[in-house]
Amino acid sequence: WKTRPLETVYPFVFLDAIHYKVKEDGKYIAKAFYTVLGVKVDGKKEVLGLYLVIPEKLDKVLYLGTL
């Protein structure tokens, strides 16, 4: 589904995230799972992207690359 063609226009785009504390190498680190949902002109919803990121390493590149 990640390689499918996207619509030209999505009147509404929703970005949401859920944050977790995950134990890695004996330390707890924060991670976030981002979901990008688009609403098509006909009202149907489509998942546009799913991203697992470490918030400390998150920068504007993720947002610019996503939008």
Side-chain angles (χ1 to χ4, degrees):
W1 64 271
K2 291 176 84 174
T3 58
R4 74 189 189 283
L6 298 176
E7 299 286 323
T8 305
V9 174
Y10 289 94
F12 299 98
V13 177
F14 298 94
L15 290 99
D16 194 14
I18 186 163
H19 295 262
Y20 296 97
K21 293 283 186 179
V22 179
K23 192 171 186 177
E24 269 187 16
D25 301 324
K27 293 189 273 185
Y28 284 95
I29 62 168
K31 288 194 176 184
F33 189 77
Y34 287 84
T35 305
V36 183
L37 181 76
V39 180
K40 299 188 326 183
V41 176
D42 64 3
K44 293 184 181 176
K45 298 175 199 155
E46 242 181 44
V47 175
L48 303 178
L50 302 169
Y51 305 93
L52 180 63
V53 296
I54 300 171
E56 290 82 28
K57 296 181 180 179
L58 180 68
D59 58 11
K60 294 176 186 172
V61 175
L62 173 72
Y63 292 110
L64 294 175
T66 302
L67 297 176

